[in-house]
Amino acid sequence: MQKLIRYSLYLKTLYLFIFCVVTLSSTVYAQHTHVFKHPDRYFKRGKALFAKKNYVAAKQQFEDFLQKNKEETKHQENLIEARFYVAYLALILEQSNATKLYQKFVRTHPTHPKVAQAHYAWGNYYYEKKEYLTAIEYLEKVKTLQAQQAKVQTNDSQIKLDFRLGKAYFELEKYDKALAYLDKVKVLDHAYSYAASYYAGYIRYKQKAYQSSINDLKMAAQSPDYQKTVPILIASNYYAQQQYPRLLTYTDSLFQRNENVDEIATLYLLSGEAAYYTNNYDKAMSYFNRYLGLLSNQPPADVAYKIAFTHYKLKSYSLAAESFKNIAAQENEMGQKAAYYLGICYIKMNNKRFAAASFDQVRKMHYDASLESSATWTLGKLQYDLEQYTECIQTLEEFIKSYAGYPQRKDAEVLLTKAYMHSKEYNKALIYIEQLPNRNDEIKSAYQQIAFARGVEYFNAEAYSQAIAMFNKSLQDIRLPQLSYVTRYWLAECYAISQKPKESIPYYLQVRKAFDNQNKYALKASYGLGYAYYNLREYDKALPYFQQCVTSWQLRTAAEEETTPYSDAVTRLADCFYVQKKYANALHLYDELIAGKHPEQDYAYYQQGVIKVAQGDYDLAKQKFEDVVQNFPNSRYYDQALYEKALIDLENGHYSVAIAGFSTLMKERPHSLLRPNALLKRALSYQNFDNTNEAIKDYKAILKDHPTHSTAPSALLSLQDLLTQAGRTDELNEILRNYKKVNPNSKALLTIDLRNAEQAFFDGKYSEAIILFKAYISKYPEGGSPNAKYYLGEAYLNSGDNENALRYHMAVVQEQKSTYMERSMRRVGDLLYAKEQYRAAIDSYLMLASITKSSRNQLKAWEGLMNTYYEMKKLDSVRYYANEIIEKGNSTASRNKATLYIAQSYYDENKFNEALPLFKKVSESAKDKTGAIALYSYAHVLYNQGQYKSSLDALFRLSKEFPMDDDLRGKNFLLIADNYIGLKEYFQAKATLNSIIARSPNRNIVTEARKKLKSIEDKK
């Protein structure tokens, strides 16, 4: 801002001045012809050379003069003057002895007028070199001499001396001393007066004496030399006094006159800010734009903030957002304000997602508490609007806890309840609502819905007792009647799956009564009632319910086919007709299953064979059984078909053929549950074929391997007869002892001990149950219930002891006695899978798939095989079993999971075009964890393809619609940040990553977020 004054005199002027002074004080000898022979000629030549700036030669002449006049006394003045010149010329020539010569001169002639000139000369010399501290030292000596010797003068302008002292003090920022000299000069009518006024004005601006500064500066502005430099200082004075209207009047006038002034960019800025502070945003933006047009770099942060706020006030939200964005990244109070208004801009632009990121940043910056609270509340509302309920809950809980006295607290509590109602974190929701002292109807309604949703979660996790408890909670205070009947339906399903059909019937009936007959829940309830009565063997009651389902579902749409168990209803209806011996109706329905190539067609063939046996048409019966064997080698009814076919031969006296048939069954299906029956019938065939030894072997095999099977008593009696007839009764005694061990007579005691252990298990007292079941097994090692080891395995599993759980479930499978053997097979497969013993797990699942007659267990076996083969990266096998589930399974959830595995297998093979539509399909069909994983994978493929916006849309949908655990939620937000980085939306990326760091409980996710955040900072 400062400029050197143009009135500074240069050394040339000083040197000429001194030359004149010296010349006037010398004796003139020009009239004498011997003058040039006198020693004074050196003195004169020295002065002449000095005038011509030939300083080296001049100094030599003066030194010669002094040398020649060592003893001379009559030219004393010339000698003093010569000594002055020698010292001064040494200074000009920057010789090392200059100061010593100066000091000697002053010491030698302390009272001589030349001393003042020496001080003055030395002061001006250092002044011109801008060594102001040294200059002041010499110039102040002049002032001291003037004060001591009133007659001593410098023969130079006293005004110039005062100005230079003032200017030197100014440069050293010793403003009070500077003003003492400048104020004396500025009031004089002199060339230095304008410069003195300028510097005095500047000093008074610095000293906040604004009006005096303005007066001085206006005086300086009368000089053309200061007309360009004064305006910025006058404007700054007005600005400092917050006299914004006067500043604008002044600068407007300047710009209208189109005057050429210094620092015009700063003048534009001051004018813009003055208009900004007077809320004249149009004028402010006009000046800001002129200011920006002259900048080569970005404006300072505080200026950028004002420009951004001006855009905001002018409703230019997009421009404001771009400006606020850069400032909002700063970790300071201004950054917090910028982030707050950035959020408001995004709201105005209807970009709530970006707005949420901005307010999330504001609430983490602890500078302005009012902004913090407002941002937290606004963030909670935005997250609710964006259906980010999990995040909304966290934000509103923080708001309620941190800002208890704020007026929005009650609104926050209501909104938090709504967020809980929509969230998938049902446990937290229930805990929150249950601790509320007062619940209005809205909260009670939310509680009913949340308890229901939690019950469904338990149901899907096969935790049916917990599901029942939660469904009953939902029915405690009914606010939504229709939901209450849906809840009753799921209660009935829990009881049905838990093999408690009697308990399910009242709930199914309530559902049917509540809904129209064609309502999907009414039909599902009818289907459930059909099964309940079917499982109770009350087939006459089951038949009309299955009939209603078949009649209604025949009209199903293509979209409903996958979710409607039509073919299963047809199957059970046919079974009911079969039991009632209405064979024609049953055969017709079985034909429909075969013609439609439904998953149950193998069973339909089998049942037609059974009916033909009942009708005495053995040839056609054998053909139907053969159809099962030939066309469905993996059928659950394969071993039964072989058995029935061999049984026909036995009953028709074709013993050798029967023996071959039963042998084939046991060879091809060694783990078949029909093996004891096949052994019994084969033994009978051997007997009829007079092959007593082979018959005895089969009877012994039954008693050894299946001593508790229903065939064992018959085998024992027949064996006793054969051994007696053969005279081998000694063999019978050992067999009888073993049989009695396995089948003791004390049934009552066995029952009491078993019930105590079972009760502890069902009450969830697993530690107690383990002790009781182990004691029971120890007490009755041979004759106890074969289910005891199953329950013991389950108790260990629920206690987290997987090793012992596996041990006892494997025992159940090996013994093949328990009614829960198939469940144990599932458990063994699942536990081996968890231990990464994949080959062994596959063996267990394959065994289950081969022997089960339960469609549910068949599905679970396929799922286990699909999961395990995926871990082994045998992707073709994954797709095979996944397609089995899709084609034959009657569970939408299972089909969705299978489709996900197919998609993932293609993804692993880099077949993204095949994977992408399948991921999308699953994400649109499933609303559980399967759908969440599918949608995340879908978004990841899009990200890898550079489709960042489409990937973001998918990820936002994931946050909005799906339940996620902490791991998936963390990965979701990391991928959101990656997409923002891809779009170069670094502010949003940083806000997302900071949110992860602040909130995620997953350390690995937080570590990854920190790495990405550092990467962004490094790029910047």
Side-chain angles (χ1 to χ4, degrees):
M1 190 183 292
Q2 300 180 31
K3 278 184 170 260
L4 292 174
I5 62 169
R6 296 193 177 186
Y7 294 105
S8 301
L9 299 178
Y10 297 95
L11 282 172
K12 177 180 176 181
T13 306
L14 174 62
Y15 302 151
L16 289 173
F17 172 78
I18 295 174
F19 173 75
C20 293
V21 171
V22 173
T23 302
L24 291 173
S25 62
S26 301
T27 306
V28 179
Y29 295 101
Q31 297 180 4
H32 301 280
T33 58
H34 64 279
V35 67
F36 294 105
K37 295 179 181 181
H38 193 273
D40 281 354
R41 68 182 184 276
Y42 298 108
F43 180 80
K44 293 176 180 179
R45 286 176 185 171
K47 295 185 71 172
L49 290 168
F50 178 85
K52 295 176 180 180
K53 298 185 179 179
N54 191 344
Y55 301 131
V56 175
K59 183 171 180 289
Q60 185 62 50
Q61 290 297 315
F62 285 124
E63 287 175 343
D64 289 345
F65 173 73
L66 292 172
Q67 184 65 31
K68 300 293 184 181
N69 288 281
K70 280 184 180 180
E71 307 300 329
E72 181 66 49
T73 56
K74 70 176 179 179
H75 301 296
Q76 191 65 29
E77 284 300 319
N78 286 354
L79 289 170
I80 294 171
E81 192 169 352
R83 293 188 188 101
F84 169 78
Y85 276 114
V86 168
Y88 186 56
L89 286 167
L91 177 66
I92 293 173
L93 294 172
E94 297 185 347
Q95 294 176 348
S96 59
N97 63 340
T99 301
K100 186 183 289 186
L101 291 171
Y102 158 80
Q103 291 172 344
K104 182 179 179 181
F105 177 79
V106 171
R107 189 172 55 253
T108 305
H109 311 288
T111 59
H112 196 278
K114 283 293 182 184
V115 171
Q117 291 181 25
H119 293 329
Y120 189 71
W122 252 255
N124 279 324
Y125 172 80
Y126 285 110
Y127 180 91
E128 296 296 341
K129 290 186 69 176
K130 299 184 180 179
E131 296 181 20
Y132 297 111
L133 188 62
T134 307
I136 288 171
E137 178 187 349
Y138 290 109
L139 293 176
E140 283 289 11
K141 289 180 179 180
V142 177
K143 297 296 291 182
T144 301
L145 284 175
Q146 288 177 346
Q148 292 173 352
Q149 304 173 13
K151 294 182 179 181
V152 176
Q153 296 295 326
T154 61
N155 296 320
D156 196 358
S157 171
Q158 181 66 37
I159 297 171
K160 178 181 176 182
L161 173 61
D162 288 341
F163 175 76
R164 287 203 163 186
L165 275 167
K167 178 63 165 46
Y169 280 120
F170 171 85
E171 295 293 349
L172 295 175
E173 298 184 8
K174 296 182 177 181
Y175 294 138
D176 289 336
K177 289 187 176 181
L179 281 177
Y181 291 108
L182 294 172
D183 282 345
K184 287 196 292 184
V185 176
K186 74 179 186 183
V187 298
L188 303 174
D189 185 13
H190 192 274
Y192 285 113
S193 299
Y194 299 112
S197 295
Y198 174 78
Y199 289 114
Y202 182 89
I203 291 170
R204 288 193 166 90
Y205 166 72
K206 297 289 285 185
Q207 292 179 335
K208 301 182 181 180
Y210 300 119
Q211 191 54 53
S212 298
S213 172
I214 291 171
N215 294 337
D216 287 338
L217 291 168
K218 285 182 177 179
M219 175 64 71
Q222 295 178 20
S223 167
D225 294 307
Y226 291 97
Q227 285 176 354
K228 290 174 63 178
T229 56
V230 161
I232 186 61
L233 280 173
I234 291 178
S236 296
N237 272 289
Y238 286 132
Y239 185 88
Q241 296 178 85
Q242 300 182 9
Q243 293 183 0
Y244 304 123
R246 294 185 68 180
L247 189 156
L248 287 169
T249 300
Y250 176 72
T251 55
D252 284 347
S253 175
L254 274 177
F255 298 138
Q256 286 171 6
R257 294 195 304 270
N258 201 27
E259 290 192 9
N260 182 21
V261 294
D262 288 345
E263 299 193 46
I264 191 167
T266 307
L267 273 173
Y268 284 144
L269 174 60
L270 291 175
S271 301
E273 292 195 0
Y276 170 89
Y277 287 124
T278 55
N279 301 326
N280 189 346
Y281 297 108
D282 285 315
K283 176 175 277 193
M285 187 50 65
S286 172
Y287 279 124
F288 283 143
N289 283 334
R290 294 189 215 177
Y291 164 72
L292 292 172
L294 296 175
L295 286 188
S296 57
N297 299 316
Q298 292 294 320
D302 62 323
V303 175
Y305 176 85
K306 290 167 187 166
I307 294 171
F309 193 82
T310 302
H311 281 307
Y312 166 76
K313 282 295 188 178
L314 294 174
K315 299 183 179 180
S316 300
Y317 299 118
S318 179
L319 292 173
E322 282 302 311
S323 299
F324 279 130
K325 192 186 298 182
N326 294 325
I327 311 163
Q330 299 178 9
E331 187 62 39
N332 53 36
E333 186 173 358
M334 186 186 301
Q336 186 185 32
K337 286 183 180 179
Y340 183 83
Y341 282 106
L342 177 60
I344 295 177
C345 288
Y346 282 135
I347 290 176
K348 298 290 187 181
M349 295 160 66
N350 200 31
N351 190 343
K352 291 183 178 180
R353 201 168 300 282
F354 278 24
S358 299
F359 287 117
D360 190 36
Q361 178 163 326
V362 174
R363 73 183 184 84
K364 296 172 187 172
M365 302 171 75
H366 309 301
Y367 298 101
D368 187 323
S370 63
L371 287 182
E372 253 183 271
S373 62
S374 177
T376 306
W377 168 233
T378 307
L379 175 61
K381 291 190 292 182
L382 286 168
Q383 289 168 331
Y384 183 85
D385 291 344
L386 291 166
E387 300 180 28
Q388 297 175 349
Y389 300 118
T390 301
E391 292 76 13
C392 174
I393 288 167
Q394 293 175 341
T395 301
L396 293 176
E397 283 179 342
E398 176 188 326
F399 180 83
I400 291 168
K401 179 181 178 181
S402 302
Y403 307 104
Y406 280 64
Q408 298 93 347
R409 178 189 169 90
K410 289 192 177 296
D411 292 337
E413 288 177 343
V414 172
L415 192 61
L416 178 57
T417 302
K418 291 181 178 179
Y420 271 128
M421 182 174 63
H422 294 295
S423 77
K424 304 295 187 294
E425 297 187 27
Y426 302 121
N427 277 340
K428 290 182 180 179
L430 292 169
I431 292 169
Y432 170 74
I433 295 175
E434 287 169 359
Q435 59 85 37
L436 289 175
N438 298 307
R439 305 182 202 174
N440 58 24
D441 286 344
E442 190 172 20
I443 293 174
K444 290 177 181 178
S445 173
Y447 187 79
Q448 181 185 351
Q449 295 175 72
I450 292 165
F452 167 75
R454 182 61 178 135
V456 172
E457 281 190 340
Y458 278 128
F459 181 90
N460 291 334
E462 302 181 20
Y464 301 114
S465 60
Q466 293 96 321
I468 289 169
M470 200 55 63
F471 288 138
N472 282 324
K473 269 191 175 185
S474 180
L475 296 174
Q476 284 176 356
D477 193 352
I478 296 171
R479 300 289 153 166
L480 302 169
Q482 187 165 355
L483 178 62
S484 74
Y485 291 109
V486 174
T487 305
R488 289 179 174 91
Y489 167 76
W490 288 107
L491 263 172
E493 287 287 286
C494 287
Y495 286 121
I497 294 173
S498 301
Q499 299 180 9
K500 297 179 180 179
K502 282 187 179 179
E503 288 84 345
S504 72
I505 289 171
Y507 292 106
Y508 282 134
L509 289 171
Q510 290 175 40
V511 175
R512 284 193 79 251
K513 185 178 179 181
F515 294 107
D516 179 82
N517 284 341
Q518 296 305 309
N519 178 276
K520 70 174 183 178
Y521 280 106
L523 288 170
K524 285 184 174 182
S526 295
Y527 182 65
L529 281 165
Y531 256 109
Y533 287 119
Y534 183 90
N535 290 328
L536 290 169
R537 302 177 184 273
E538 298 180 28
Y539 301 109
D540 57 329
K541 292 182 179 179
L543 192 148
Y545 292 115
F546 285 128
Q547 183 69 71
Q548 182 188 359
C549 292
V550 170
T551 303
S552 298
W553 288 338
Q554 281 176 333
L555 305 175
R556 68 196 184 284
T557 64
E560 293 171 331
E561 278 198 24
E562 287 190 1
T563 58
T564 303
Y566 171 74
S567 62
D568 187 69
V570 172
T571 304
R572 296 288 84 87
L573 179 59
D575 290 345
C576 289
F577 280 127
Y578 159 72
V579 173
Q580 294 180 342
K581 298 185 179 181
K582 295 179 180 179
Y583 297 135
N585 301 74
L587 287 169
H588 171 74
L589 291 170
Y590 290 135
D591 280 335
E592 180 184 335
L593 292 171
I594 293 167
K597 295 185 177 180
H598 290 289
E600 296 86 356
Q601 57 181 313
D602 57 339
Y603 176 75
Y605 277 119
Y606 173 79
Q607 282 296 99
Q608 285 184 334
V610 173
I611 291 172
K612 289 305 173 183
V613 169
Q615 292 176 332
D617 189 348
Y618 298 114
D619 290 337
L620 188 52
K622 285 183 70 175
Q623 182 57 53
K624 294 295 182 181
F625 293 136
E626 185 63 21
D627 285 337
V628 176
V629 172
Q630 293 298 321
N631 298 322
F632 305 97
N634 296 319
S635 170
R636 291 179 287 155
Y637 303 97
Y638 181 87
D639 56 346
Q640 276 188 271
L642 285 172
Y643 179 80
E644 293 294 340
K645 187 180 171 188
L647 194 59
I648 291 171
D649 288 320
L650 171 62
E651 291 174 353
N652 284 280
H654 304 145
Y655 302 123
S656 61
V657 179
I659 289 168
F662 291 126
S663 298
T664 299
L665 164 59
M666 288 185 282
K667 180 182 178 182
E668 294 189 8
R669 293 288 190 272
H671 301 293
S672 172
L673 297 180
L674 290 173
R675 186 173 182 274
N677 303 78
L679 284 168
L680 184 67
K681 296 300 181 184
R682 190 173 70 173
L684 183 59
S685 298
Y686 278 129
Q687 275 184 266
N688 290 326
F689 206 57
D690 293 328
N691 191 340
T692 302
N693 288 332
E694 292 300 323
I696 289 172
K697 286 181 182 178
D698 282 349
Y699 288 135
K700 283 185 174 182
I702 293 170
L703 294 170
K704 178 185 177 185
D705 298 332
H706 311 283
T708 60
H709 194 268
S710 60
T711 58
S714 296
L716 181 62
L717 291 172
S718 296
L719 179 61
Q720 184 178 17
D721 290 340
L722 290 177
L723 288 174
T724 301
Q725 291 172 11
R728 296 160 56 184
T729 54
D730 55 325
E731 295 177 30
L732 185 61
N733 294 329
E734 181 66 25
I735 292 170
L736 281 171
R737 280 196 297 273
N738 291 333
Y739 182 77
K740 287 179 180 178
K741 284 182 181 179
V742 177
N743 297 279
N745 294 322
S746 181
K747 299 292 183 184
L749 185 58
L750 274 169
T751 302
I752 292 171
D753 289 344
L754 181 62
R755 284 182 180 175
N756 288 338
E758 287 178 342
Q759 191 61 50
F761 177 85
F762 292 128
D763 288 344
K765 300 175 181 177
Y766 300 117
S767 297
E768 182 182 341
I770 288 169
I771 295 170
L772 291 174
F773 276 120
K774 288 181 75 175
Y776 177 86
I777 293 168
S778 177
K779 188 174 182 180
Y780 309 105
E782 302 295 340
S785 169
N787 293 337
K789 290 181 181 177
Y790 167 79
Y791 283 119
L792 183 53
E794 288 293 280
Y796 273 122
L797 186 65
N798 283 296
S799 299
D801 187 346
N802 289 358
E803 287 298 325
N804 274 314
L806 178 60
R807 172 187 166 197
Y808 283 100
H809 279 301
M810 288 182 76
V812 172
V813 173
Q814 289 165 2
E815 292 173 2
Q816 295 190 17
K817 298 175 184 177
S818 172
T819 54
Y820 300 119
M821 185 182 72
E822 291 185 9
R823 293 191 188 181
S824 283
M825 285 183 181
R826 281 177 51 195
R827 290 294 192 218
V828 169
D830 293 345
L831 289 165
L832 289 170
Y833 172 85
K835 291 181 69 175
E836 299 183 11
Q837 296 181 13
Y838 298 129
R839 186 66 258 175
I842 284 173
D843 291 341
S844 184
Y845 291 132
L846 285 171
M847 184 187 299
L848 175 61
S850 70
I851 70 166
T852 185
K853 299 299 182 290
S854 162
S855 58
R856 181 179 180 81
N857 284 339
Q858 180 79 79
L859 193 64
K860 292 296 181 182
W862 287 335
E863 285 184 351
L865 288 164
M866 175 181 70
N867 296 342
T868 309
Y869 277 124
Y870 182 80
E871 294 300 328
M872 297 173 72
K873 296 305 173 188
K874 294 187 176 182
L875 302 181
D876 287 339
S877 296
V878 171
R879 288 193 282 269
Y880 172 80
Y881 286 106
N883 281 316
E884 287 286 283
I885 294 168
I886 293 168
E887 292 169 10
K888 299 176 183 177
N890 58 7
S891 165
T892 302
S894 296
R895 287 196 292 267
N896 286 330
K897 187 175 180 181
T899 306
L900 173 62
Y901 268 83
I902 293 174
Q904 194 64 47
S905 72
Y906 284 132
Y907 179 90
D908 291 348
E909 293 175 337
N910 295 325
K911 296 177 180 177
F912 302 124
N913 291 334
E914 287 88 343
L916 201 61
L918 293 174
F919 282 136
K920 185 178 182 183
K921 179 181 179 181
V922 176
S923 73
E924 291 171 348
S925 174
K927 297 302 177 186
D928 54 10
K929 185 177 181 180
T930 298
I933 293 170
L935 189 52
Y936 174 80
S937 300
Y938 176 72
H940 210 288
V941 174
L942 292 173
Y943 168 76
N944 289 337
Q945 293 177 341
Q947 299 184 52
Y948 303 124
K949 289 185 177 179
S950 297
S951 179
L952 279 173
D953 290 340
L955 293 167
F956 293 147
R957 185 177 152 231
L958 176 58
S959 297
K960 173 181 174 183
E961 298 179 10
F962 291 86
M964 290 185 286
D965 57 24
D966 291 331
D967 182 61
L968 184 57
R969 182 177 290 108
K971 289 179 178 177
N972 180 53
F973 280 109
L974 285 174
L975 190 52
I976 286 173
D978 286 336
N979 277 291
Y980 279 137
I981 292 169
L983 292 168
K984 297 183 179 173
E985 286 283 355
Y986 297 115
F987 176 83
Q988 297 298 325
K990 288 176 65 178
T992 303
L993 293 169
N994 279 320
S995 180
I996 294 171
I997 293 166
R999 291 188 168 186
S1000 177
N1002 188 313
R1003 290 186 179 180
N1004 293 333
I1005 295 294
V1006 170
T1007 299
E1008 186 63 24
R1010 292 187 191 280
K1011 287 180 182 177
K1012 291 181 185 293
L1013 191 61
K1014 185 177 185 301
S1015 176
I1016 294 173
E1017 296 294 345
D1018 291 344
K1019 284 181 183 178
K1020 291 182 69 175

